[in-house]
Amino acid sequence: MLEIINEKINEQEKIKILQNLQEVCSQCTNCELSKTRSNVVFSDGNPIAKIMLIGEAPGQNEDIRGVPFVGRAGQLLDKFLEEAGILRKKDLYICNTVKCRPPENRIPTQAEKAACKVYLDSQISIVRPLVILLCGMTAVNSMIETKLAISKIRGQWFNGPFDSKMMPIFHPSYLLRNHSNEEGSPRYFMQKDLEKVVQYIKTC
Ligand code: URA
Protein backbone atom coordinates (compact mmCIF):
# COMPACT_ATOMS: atom_id res chain seq x y z
CA MET A 1 0.00 0.00 0.00
CA LEU A 2 2.91 2.37 -0.44
CA GLU A 3 2.53 3.00 -4.12
CA ILE A 4 2.02 6.51 -5.38
CA ILE A 5 -1.59 6.96 -6.43
CA ASN A 6 -1.60 8.42 -9.92
CA GLU A 7 -5.28 8.57 -10.69
CA LYS A 8 -7.80 10.95 -9.21
CA ILE A 9 -9.80 9.15 -6.55
CA ASN A 10 -13.08 10.05 -4.86
CA GLU A 11 -13.43 11.23 -1.27
CA GLN A 12 -14.44 7.90 0.25
CA GLU A 13 -11.56 6.11 -1.49
CA LYS A 14 -9.18 8.81 -0.35
CA ILE A 15 -10.16 8.37 3.29
CA LYS A 16 -9.95 4.57 3.05
CA ILE A 17 -6.55 4.54 1.33
CA LEU A 18 -5.16 7.03 3.86
CA GLN A 19 -6.44 4.86 6.70
CA ASN A 20 -4.65 1.85 5.19
CA LEU A 21 -1.48 3.87 4.75
CA GLN A 22 -1.68 5.07 8.36
CA GLU A 23 -2.07 1.48 9.50
CA VAL A 24 1.09 0.47 7.59
CA CYS A 25 2.94 3.53 8.86
CA SER A 26 1.98 2.78 12.48
CA GLN A 27 3.95 -0.50 12.23
CA CYS A 28 6.94 1.09 10.46
CA THR A 29 10.48 0.09 11.45
CA ASN A 30 12.26 1.70 8.48
CA CYS A 31 14.56 3.74 10.73
CA GLU A 32 15.95 3.93 14.26
CA LEU A 33 13.26 6.40 15.40
CA SER A 34 10.83 3.48 15.60
CA LYS A 35 12.76 2.26 18.66
CA THR A 36 12.22 5.41 20.73
CA ARG A 37 8.80 6.67 19.62
CA SER A 38 5.63 6.36 21.69
CA ASN A 39 3.36 6.90 18.70
CA VAL A 40 3.68 7.34 14.97
CA VAL A 41 2.32 10.82 14.20
CA PHE A 42 0.63 10.42 10.84
CA SER A 43 -1.71 13.36 10.22
CA ASP A 44 -4.52 15.59 11.38
CA GLY A 45 -7.19 17.67 9.71
CA ASN A 46 -9.19 17.03 6.58
CA PRO A 47 -7.99 14.51 3.95
CA ILE A 48 -10.02 16.32 1.29
CA ALA A 49 -8.73 19.80 2.17
CA LYS A 50 -7.29 22.03 -0.56
CA ILE A 51 -4.33 22.99 1.60
CA MET A 52 -1.72 20.60 3.01
CA LEU A 53 0.82 21.70 5.59
CA ILE A 54 4.07 19.77 6.07
CA GLY A 55 6.11 20.34 9.23
CA GLU A 56 9.40 18.86 10.42
CA ALA A 57 8.84 16.04 12.92
CA PRO A 58 6.78 15.38 16.05
CA GLY A 59 7.91 16.86 19.36
CA GLN A 60 7.21 15.48 22.83
CA ASN A 61 3.51 16.41 22.98
CA GLU A 62 2.88 15.08 19.49
CA ASP A 63 4.71 11.83 20.30
CA ILE A 64 2.53 11.33 23.38
CA ARG A 65 -0.76 12.16 21.66
CA GLY A 66 -0.03 10.82 18.18
CA VAL A 67 -1.25 14.08 16.58
CA PRO A 68 0.91 16.67 14.76
CA PHE A 69 1.32 20.24 15.99
CA VAL A 70 -0.46 20.03 19.34
CA GLY A 71 2.29 21.58 21.53
CA ARG A 72 3.12 25.27 21.96
CA ALA A 73 4.31 25.64 18.38
CA GLY A 74 1.13 23.98 17.13
CA GLN A 75 -1.08 26.26 19.19
CA LEU A 76 0.68 29.29 17.76
CA LEU A 77 0.32 27.84 14.27
CA ASP A 78 -3.43 27.37 14.83
CA LYS A 79 -3.72 31.01 15.89
CA PHE A 80 -2.01 32.26 12.71
CA LEU A 81 -4.10 29.95 10.54
CA GLU A 82 -7.35 31.08 12.16
CA GLU A 83 -6.44 34.74 11.78
CA ALA A 84 -6.02 34.11 8.06
CA GLY A 85 -9.37 32.27 7.95
CA ILE A 86 -7.94 28.75 7.67
CA LEU A 87 -9.57 26.25 10.02
CA ARG A 88 -7.24 23.37 10.86
CA LYS A 89 -9.91 20.65 11.06
CA LYS A 90 -11.79 21.77 7.95
CA ASP A 91 -9.43 23.56 5.57
CA LEU A 92 -6.14 21.78 6.19
CA TYR A 93 -4.51 18.38 5.97
CA ILE A 94 -1.51 18.53 8.30
CA CYS A 95 1.45 16.16 8.60
CA ASN A 96 5.21 16.06 9.06
CA THR A 97 8.27 15.22 6.95
CA VAL A 98 9.22 12.58 9.52
CA LYS A 99 6.46 10.73 11.36
CA CYS A 100 8.34 9.72 14.54
CA ARG A 101 9.90 11.95 17.18
CA PRO A 102 13.68 12.40 16.97
CA PRO A 103 15.17 12.11 20.50
CA GLU A 104 15.59 15.51 22.22
CA ASN A 105 13.74 17.06 19.26
CA ARG A 106 16.91 17.11 17.17
CA ILE A 107 16.65 17.77 13.43
CA PRO A 108 15.90 14.52 11.56
CA THR A 109 18.87 12.95 9.78
CA GLN A 110 19.04 12.40 6.01
CA ALA A 111 18.52 8.67 6.59
CA GLU A 112 15.39 9.30 8.70
CA LYS A 113 13.98 11.69 6.13
CA ALA A 114 14.72 9.24 3.32
CA ALA A 115 13.12 6.36 5.23
CA CYS A 116 9.94 8.40 5.74
CA LYS A 117 9.68 10.01 2.29
CA VAL A 118 7.59 7.17 0.91
CA TYR A 119 4.81 8.03 3.39
CA LEU A 120 4.94 11.75 2.62
CA ASP A 121 4.90 11.16 -1.14
CA SER A 122 1.97 8.78 -0.75
CA GLN A 123 0.05 11.29 1.40
CA ILE A 124 0.55 13.99 -1.24
CA SER A 125 -0.51 11.68 -4.06
CA ILE A 126 -3.69 10.68 -2.25
CA VAL A 127 -4.73 14.08 -0.83
CA ARG A 128 -3.75 15.99 -4.01
CA PRO A 129 -3.87 19.43 -2.39
CA LEU A 130 -3.92 22.61 -4.47
CA VAL A 131 -1.43 24.23 -2.08
CA ILE A 132 1.37 22.65 -0.04
CA LEU A 133 2.72 24.79 2.80
CA LEU A 134 6.32 23.87 3.61
CA CYS A 135 6.63 24.81 7.22
CA GLY A 136 10.32 25.31 8.05
CA MET A 137 13.53 24.22 6.38
CA THR A 138 13.20 20.46 6.91
CA ALA A 139 9.94 20.45 4.94
CA VAL A 140 11.39 22.82 2.32
CA ASN A 141 14.43 20.58 1.77
CA SER A 142 12.26 17.50 1.37
CA MET A 143 10.36 19.11 -1.54
CA ILE A 144 12.57 21.80 -3.11
CA GLU A 145 16.24 21.85 -4.05
CA THR A 146 17.58 25.07 -2.62
CA LYS A 147 20.41 26.35 -0.49
CA LEU A 148 18.59 29.60 0.27
CA ALA A 149 17.43 30.37 3.81
CA ILE A 150 13.73 30.30 4.58
CA SER A 151 13.75 34.08 5.09
CA LYS A 152 14.72 34.43 1.39
CA ILE A 153 12.13 32.06 -0.09
CA ARG A 154 9.14 32.27 2.26
CA GLY A 155 5.98 33.54 0.64
CA GLN A 156 7.12 32.53 -2.86
CA TRP A 157 5.30 30.03 -5.06
CA PHE A 158 7.05 26.91 -6.36
CA ASN A 159 5.57 24.29 -8.67
CA GLY A 160 4.70 21.15 -6.72
CA PRO A 161 3.62 17.58 -7.50
CA PHE A 162 0.27 16.92 -9.22
CA ASP A 163 -0.08 20.54 -10.39
CA SER A 164 0.02 21.88 -6.84
CA LYS A 165 1.66 25.13 -5.75
CA MET A 166 4.10 24.98 -2.84
CA MET A 167 4.95 27.85 -0.52
CA PRO A 168 7.68 27.87 2.17
CA ILE A 169 6.53 29.53 5.39
CA PHE A 170 8.22 30.12 8.74
CA HIS A 171 8.06 27.34 11.30
CA PRO A 172 5.99 28.30 14.38
CA SER A 173 8.89 27.29 16.69
CA TYR A 174 10.86 30.15 15.12
CA LEU A 175 7.91 32.49 15.70
CA LEU A 176 7.79 31.43 19.36
CA ARG A 177 11.29 32.90 19.69
CA ASN A 178 10.40 36.06 17.74
CA HIS A 179 7.59 37.95 19.43
CA SER A 180 7.33 41.13 17.38
CA ASN A 181 4.31 41.65 15.11
CA GLU A 182 5.78 44.77 13.56
CA GLU A 183 5.93 45.25 9.82
CA GLY A 184 8.87 43.25 8.45
CA SER A 185 9.01 40.84 11.41
CA PRO A 186 8.73 37.03 10.93
CA ARG A 187 5.24 37.05 12.50
CA TYR A 188 4.17 39.83 10.14
CA PHE A 189 5.38 37.82 7.13
CA MET A 190 3.70 34.63 8.39
CA GLN A 191 0.37 36.45 8.41
CA LYS A 192 0.95 37.95 4.97
CA ASP A 193 1.96 34.56 3.52
CA LEU A 194 -1.14 32.83 4.85
CA GLU A 195 -3.34 35.65 3.53
CA LYS A 196 -1.71 35.17 0.12
CA VAL A 197 -2.59 31.47 0.24
CA VAL A 198 -6.22 32.23 1.06
CA GLN A 199 -6.40 34.71 -1.83
CA TYR A 200 -4.93 32.11 -4.19
CA ILE A 201 -7.37 29.39 -3.08
CA LYS A 202 -10.27 31.78 -3.79
CA THR A 203 -9.17 32.01 -7.44
CA CYS A 204 -9.07 28.21 -7.93
N1 URA B 1 7.01 20.76 15.01
C1 URA B 1 6.78 20.14 13.84
O1 URA B 1 7.44 20.40 12.84
N2 URA B 1 5.80 19.25 13.80
C2 URA B 1 5.04 18.94 14.84
O2 URA B 1 4.14 18.12 14.70
C3 URA B 1 5.28 19.61 16.05
C4 URA B 1 6.28 20.52 16.12
Side-chain angles (χ1 to χ4, degrees):
M1 236 325 293
L2 290 183
E3 78 274 16
I4 302 297
I5 308 293
N6 277 316
E7 285 168 26
K8 289 209 165 152
I9 47 179
N10 73 36
E11 289 173 21
Q12 288 314 313
E13 281 173 333
K14 234 181 220 198
I15 292 164
K16 199 163 157 235
I17 295 170
L18 280 167
Q19 278 169 352
N20 289 343
L21 182 64
Q22 181 165 8
E23 188 64 36
V24 173
C25 190
S26 71
Q27 311 291 321
C28 181
T29 53
N30 287 354
C31 82
E32 292 292 295
L33 296 181
S34 59
K35 295 184 181 155
T36 50
R37 72 174 178 232
S38 308
N39 282 295
V40 170
V41 178
F42 187 73
S43 71
D44 194 25
N46 185 354
I48 57 166
K50 293 178 179 163
I51 310 172
M52 177 167 181
L53 183 143
I54 306 173
E56 181 175 287
Q60 187 178 29
N61 290 297
E62 290 78 16
D63 178 60
I64 292 167
R65 290 180 48 189
V67 183
F69 283 107
V70 288
R72 278 180 68 227
Q75 286 160 22
L76 183 61
L77 178 66
D78 287 352
K79 180 178 148 308
F80 274 95
L81 291 167
E82 273 174 38
E83 277 172 18
I86 302 169
L87 297 179
R88 173 186 172 125
K89 291 282 178 197
K90 173 174 160 280
D91 302 319
L92 202 67
Y93 180 83
I94 187 163
C95 65
N96 281 308
T97 308
V98 167
K99 314 296 187 217
C100 298
R101 182 191 182 202
E104 313 302 327
N105 298 344
R106 62 162 171 71
I107 295 171
T109 64
Q110 284 301 336
E112 290 157 1
K113 285 188 280 185
C116 228
K117 188 72 165 47
V118 64
Y119 299 115
L120 182 62
D121 286 342
S122 295
Q123 285 172 302
I124 294 170
S125 80
I126 299 163
V127 176
R128 303 277 183 111
L130 297 176
V131 169
I132 302 177
L133 295 173
L134 304 171
C135 191
M137 241 11 234
T138 298
V140 168
N141 288 145
S142 74
M143 300 300 295
I144 296 173
E145 262 188 51
T146 181
K147 290 203 166 27
L148 294 173
I150 190 119
S151 55
K152 297 272 182 263
I153 53 173
R154 52 129 285 277
Q156 293 179 28
W157 290 116
F158 293 81
N159 290 332
F162 307 106
D163 292 329
S164 63
K165 294 280 177 207
M166 303 190 292
M167 181 191 283
I169 57 171
F170 284 124
H171 194 282
S173 300
Y174 179 65
L175 303 178
L176 278 175
R177 302 191 294 272
N178 289 273
H179 298 275
S180 170
N181 288 308
E182 279 183 16
E183 198 169 328
S185 67
R187 287 188 184 220
Y188 170 86
F189 283 129
M190 181 72 160
Q191 207 58 53
K192 290 282 161 221
D193 294 347
L194 294 176
E195 283 167 12
K196 189 168 164 179
V197 169
V198 170
Q199 286 314 314
Y200 173 73
I201 290 287
K202 282 182 184 162
T203 68
C204 293

PDB file of all heavy atoms in Angstrom, residues 41 54-59 62 67-71 73-74 95-96 135 171-173, ligand 1:
ATOM      1  N   VAL A  41       3.181   9.638  14.353  1.00  0.00           N
ATOM      2  CA  VAL A  41       2.317  10.822  14.205  1.00  0.00           C
ATOM      3  C   VAL A  41       2.045  10.987  12.711  1.00  0.00           C
ATOM      4  O   VAL A  41       2.883  11.510  11.971  1.00  0.00           O
ATOM      5  CB  VAL A  41       3.007  12.062  14.818  1.00  0.00           C
ATOM      6  CG1 VAL A  41       2.150  13.298  14.629  1.00  0.00           C
ATOM      7  CG2 VAL A  41       3.300  11.812  16.298  1.00  0.00           C
ATOM      8  N   ILE A  54       3.040  20.762   5.692  1.00  0.00           N
ATOM      9  CA  ILE A  54       4.065  19.771   6.072  1.00  0.00           C
ATOM     10  C   ILE A  54       5.037  20.421   7.050  1.00  0.00           C
ATOM     11  O   ILE A  54       5.649  21.447   6.733  1.00  0.00           O
ATOM     12  CB  ILE A  54       4.832  19.261   4.835  1.00  0.00           C
ATOM     13  CG1 ILE A  54       3.870  18.732   3.767  1.00  0.00           C
ATOM     14  CG2 ILE A  54       5.835  18.182   5.248  1.00  0.00           C
ATOM     15  CD1 ILE A  54       4.538  18.354   2.444  1.00  0.00           C
ATOM     16  N   GLY A  55       5.159  19.843   8.231  1.00  0.00           N
ATOM     17  CA  GLY A  55       6.114  20.338   9.225  1.00  0.00           C
ATOM     18  C   GLY A  55       7.388  19.514   9.222  1.00  0.00           C
ATOM     19  O   GLY A  55       7.704  18.829   8.239  1.00  0.00           O
ATOM     20  N   GLU A  56       8.111  19.559  10.341  1.00  0.00           N
ATOM     21  CA  GLU A  56       9.399  18.863  10.425  1.00  0.00           C
ATOM     22  C   GLU A  56       9.216  17.435  10.954  1.00  0.00           C
ATOM     23  O   GLU A  56       9.307  16.458  10.212  1.00  0.00           O
ATOM     24  CB  GLU A  56      10.345  19.657  11.324  1.00  0.00           C
ATOM     25  CG  GLU A  56      11.711  19.014  11.456  1.00  0.00           C
ATOM     26  CD  GLU A  56      12.661  19.901  12.257  1.00  0.00           C
ATOM     27  OE1 GLU A  56      13.100  20.928  11.721  1.00  0.00           O
ATOM     28  OE2 GLU A  56      12.937  19.568  13.429  1.00  0.00           O
ATOM     29  N   ALA A  57       8.953  17.341  12.248  1.00  0.00           N
ATOM     30  CA  ALA A  57       8.837  16.042  12.919  1.00  0.00           C
ATOM     31  C   ALA A  57       8.081  16.262  14.225  1.00  0.00           C
ATOM     32  O   ALA A  57       8.064  17.375  14.751  1.00  0.00           O
ATOM     33  CB  ALA A  57      10.228  15.476  13.211  1.00  0.00           C
ATOM     34  N   PRO A  58       7.490  15.214  14.788  1.00  0.00           N
ATOM     35  CA  PRO A  58       6.776  15.381  16.051  1.00  0.00           C
ATOM     36  C   PRO A  58       7.718  15.781  17.189  1.00  0.00           C
ATOM     37  O   PRO A  58       8.877  15.362  17.220  1.00  0.00           O
ATOM     38  CB  PRO A  58       6.200  13.993  16.341  1.00  0.00           C
ATOM     39  CG  PRO A  58       6.385  13.189  15.107  1.00  0.00           C
ATOM     40  CD  PRO A  58       7.453  13.832  14.291  1.00  0.00           C
ATOM     41  N   GLY A  59       7.205  16.584  18.109  1.00  0.00           N
ATOM     42  CA  GLY A  59       7.908  16.863  19.357  1.00  0.00           C
ATOM     43  C   GLY A  59       7.336  15.974  20.461  1.00  0.00           C
ATOM     44  O   GLY A  59       6.628  14.997  20.168  1.00  0.00           O
ATOM     45  N   GLU A  62       3.425  15.786  20.652  1.00  0.00           N
ATOM     46  CA  GLU A  62       2.885  15.082  19.492  1.00  0.00           C
ATOM     47  C   GLU A  62       3.149  13.577  19.617  1.00  0.00           C
ATOM     48  O   GLU A  62       2.292  12.756  19.282  1.00  0.00           O
ATOM     49  CB  GLU A  62       3.540  15.625  18.204  1.00  0.00           C
ATOM     50  CG  GLU A  62       3.128  17.048  17.832  1.00  0.00           C
ATOM     51  CD  GLU A  62       3.813  18.140  18.645  1.00  0.00           C
ATOM     52  OE1 GLU A  62       4.838  17.829  19.295  1.00  0.00           O
ATOM     53  OE2 GLU A  62       3.331  19.291  18.650  1.00  0.00           O
ATOM     54  N   VAL A  67      -0.623  13.067  17.458  1.00  0.00           N
ATOM     55  CA  VAL A  67      -1.250  14.075  16.584  1.00  0.00           C
ATOM     56  C   VAL A  67      -0.226  15.183  16.317  1.00  0.00           C
ATOM     57  O   VAL A  67       0.450  15.632  17.250  1.00  0.00           O
ATOM     58  CB  VAL A  67      -2.503  14.694  17.267  1.00  0.00           C
ATOM     59  CG1 VAL A  67      -3.193  15.686  16.336  1.00  0.00           C
ATOM     60  CG2 VAL A  67      -3.469  13.613  17.715  1.00  0.00           C
ATOM     61  N   PRO A  68      -0.090  15.624  15.038  1.00  0.00           N
ATOM     62  CA  PRO A  68       0.906  16.672  14.755  1.00  0.00           C
ATOM     63  C   PRO A  68       0.503  18.051  15.293  1.00  0.00           C
ATOM     64  O   PRO A  68      -0.688  18.354  15.397  1.00  0.00           O
ATOM     65  CB  PRO A  68       0.965  16.702  13.216  1.00  0.00           C
ATOM     66  CG  PRO A  68      -0.314  16.105  12.749  1.00  0.00           C
ATOM     67  CD  PRO A  68      -0.762  15.153  13.825  1.00  0.00           C
ATOM     68  N   PHE A  69       1.504  18.826  15.611  1.00  0.00           N
ATOM     69  CA  PHE A  69       1.323  20.240  15.986  1.00  0.00           C
ATOM     70  C   PHE A  69       0.263  20.455  17.074  1.00  0.00           C
ATOM     71  O   PHE A  69      -0.709  21.185  16.872  1.00  0.00           O
ATOM     72  CB  PHE A  69       0.986  21.077  14.741  1.00  0.00           C
ATOM     73  CG  PHE A  69       2.191  21.356  13.873  1.00  0.00           C
ATOM     74  CD1 PHE A  69       2.358  20.699  12.650  1.00  0.00           C
ATOM     75  CD2 PHE A  69       3.164  22.266  14.266  1.00  0.00           C
ATOM     76  CE1 PHE A  69       3.470  20.945  11.852  1.00  0.00           C
ATOM     77  CE2 PHE A  69       4.286  22.522  13.470  1.00  0.00           C
ATOM     78  CZ  PHE A  69       4.436  21.871  12.264  1.00  0.00           C
ATOM     79  N   VAL A  70       0.459  19.814  18.216  1.00  0.00           N
ATOM     80  CA  VAL A  70      -0.461  20.034  19.341  1.00  0.00           C
ATOM     81  C   VAL A  70       0.240  20.685  20.540  1.00  0.00           C
ATOM     82  O   VAL A  70      -0.394  20.990  21.537  1.00  0.00           O
ATOM     83  CB  VAL A  70      -1.167  18.730  19.811  1.00  0.00           C
ATOM     84  CG1 VAL A  70      -2.194  18.275  18.801  1.00  0.00           C
ATOM     85  CG2 VAL A  70      -0.150  17.623  20.106  1.00  0.00           C
ATOM     86  N   GLY A  71       1.558  20.905  20.455  1.00  0.00           N
ATOM     87  CA  GLY A  71       2.291  21.577  21.535  1.00  0.00           C
ATOM     88  C   GLY A  71       2.218  23.091  21.375  1.00  0.00           C
ATOM     89  O   GLY A  71       1.333  23.609  20.686  1.00  0.00           O
ATOM     90  N   ALA A  73       4.141  25.193  19.771  1.00  0.00           N
ATOM     91  CA  ALA A  73       4.309  25.637  18.381  1.00  0.00           C
ATOM     92  C   ALA A  73       3.009  25.419  17.604  1.00  0.00           C
ATOM     93  O   ALA A  73       2.591  26.281  16.823  1.00  0.00           O
ATOM     94  CB  ALA A  73       5.468  24.886  17.724  1.00  0.00           C
ATOM     95  N   GLY A  74       2.377  24.290  17.835  1.00  0.00           N
ATOM     96  CA  GLY A  74       1.134  23.982  17.134  1.00  0.00           C
ATOM     97  C   GLY A  74       0.016  24.947  17.494  1.00  0.00           C
ATOM     98  O   GLY A  74      -0.768  25.356  16.632  1.00  0.00           O
ATOM     99  N   CYS A  95       0.581  17.303   8.295  1.00  0.00           N
ATOM    100  CA  CYS A  95       1.449  16.160   8.599  1.00  0.00           C
ATOM    101  C   CYS A  95       2.895  16.640   8.713  1.00  0.00           C
ATOM    102  O   CYS A  95       3.156  17.841   8.636  1.00  0.00           O
ATOM    103  CB  CYS A  95       1.314  15.073   7.527  1.00  0.00           C
ATOM    104  SG  CYS A  95       1.890  15.583   5.910  1.00  0.00           S
ATOM    105  N   ASN A  96       3.800  15.720   8.902  1.00  0.00           N
ATOM    106  CA  ASN A  96       5.211  16.064   9.061  1.00  0.00           C
ATOM    107  C   ASN A  96       6.080  15.337   8.038  1.00  0.00           C
ATOM    108  O   ASN A  96       5.682  14.300   7.498  1.00  0.00           O
ATOM    109  CB  ASN A  96       5.690  15.682  10.468  1.00  0.00           C
ATOM    110  CG  ASN A  96       5.262  16.693  11.505  1.00  0.00           C
ATOM    111  OD1 ASN A  96       5.499  17.892  11.359  1.00  0.00           O
ATOM    112  ND2 ASN A  96       4.593  16.219  12.560  1.00  0.00           N
ATOM    113  N   CYS A 135       6.489  24.075   5.975  1.00  0.00           N
ATOM    114  CA  CYS A 135       6.627  24.810   7.223  1.00  0.00           C
ATOM    115  C   CYS A 135       8.024  24.544   7.821  1.00  0.00           C
ATOM    116  O   CYS A 135       8.237  23.518   8.469  1.00  0.00           O
ATOM    117  CB  CYS A 135       5.503  24.333   8.134  1.00  0.00           C
ATOM    118  SG  CYS A 135       5.279  25.308   9.585  1.00  0.00           S
ATOM    119  N   HIS A 171       8.519  28.342  10.346  1.00  0.00           N
ATOM    120  CA  HIS A 171       8.060  27.338  11.302  1.00  0.00           C
ATOM    121  C   HIS A 171       7.586  28.052  12.576  1.00  0.00           C
ATOM    122  O   HIS A 171       8.234  29.013  13.015  1.00  0.00           O
ATOM    123  CB  HIS A 171       9.213  26.367  11.638  1.00  0.00           C
ATOM    124  CG  HIS A 171       8.734  25.137  12.328  1.00  0.00           C
ATOM    125  ND1 HIS A 171       8.400  25.126  13.657  1.00  0.00           N
ATOM    126  CD2 HIS A 171       8.513  23.873  11.866  1.00  0.00           C
ATOM    127  CE1 HIS A 171       8.000  23.905  13.988  1.00  0.00           C
ATOM    128  NE2 HIS A 171       8.062  23.129  12.920  1.00  0.00           N
ATOM    129  N   PRO A 172       6.480  27.601  13.180  1.00  0.00           N
ATOM    130  CA  PRO A 172       5.988  28.305  14.378  1.00  0.00           C
ATOM    131  C   PRO A 172       6.984  28.287  15.549  1.00  0.00           C
ATOM    132  O   PRO A 172       6.926  29.192  16.405  1.00  0.00           O
ATOM    133  CB  PRO A 172       4.689  27.583  14.731  1.00  0.00           C
ATOM    134  CG  PRO A 172       4.739  26.285  14.001  1.00  0.00           C
ATOM    135  CD  PRO A 172       5.575  26.511  12.786  1.00  0.00           C
ATOM    136  N   SER A 173       7.884  27.292  15.602  1.00  0.00           N
ATOM    137  CA  SER A 173       8.890  27.295  16.693  1.00  0.00           C
ATOM    138  C   SER A 173       9.777  28.530  16.576  1.00  0.00           C
ATOM    139  O   SER A 173      10.196  29.112  17.586  1.00  0.00           O
ATOM    140  CB  SER A 173       9.794  26.064  16.614  1.00  0.00           C
ATOM    141  OG  SER A 173       9.033  24.923  16.714  1.00  0.00           O
TER     142      SER A 173
HETATM  143  N1  URA B   1       7.013  20.762  15.011  1.00  0.00           N
HETATM  144  C1  URA B   1       6.780  20.143  13.836  1.00  0.00           C
HETATM  145  O1  URA B   1       7.440  20.403  12.840  1.00  0.00           O
HETATM  146  N2  URA B   1       5.796  19.245  13.798  1.00  0.00           N
HETATM  147  C2  URA B   1       5.040  18.944  14.842  1.00  0.00           C
HETATM  148  O2  URA B   1       4.140  18.116  14.702  1.00  0.00           O
HETATM  149  C3  URA B   1       5.282  19.613  16.049  1.00  0.00           C
HETATM  150  C4  URA B   1       6.280  20.518  16.115  1.00  0.00           C
END
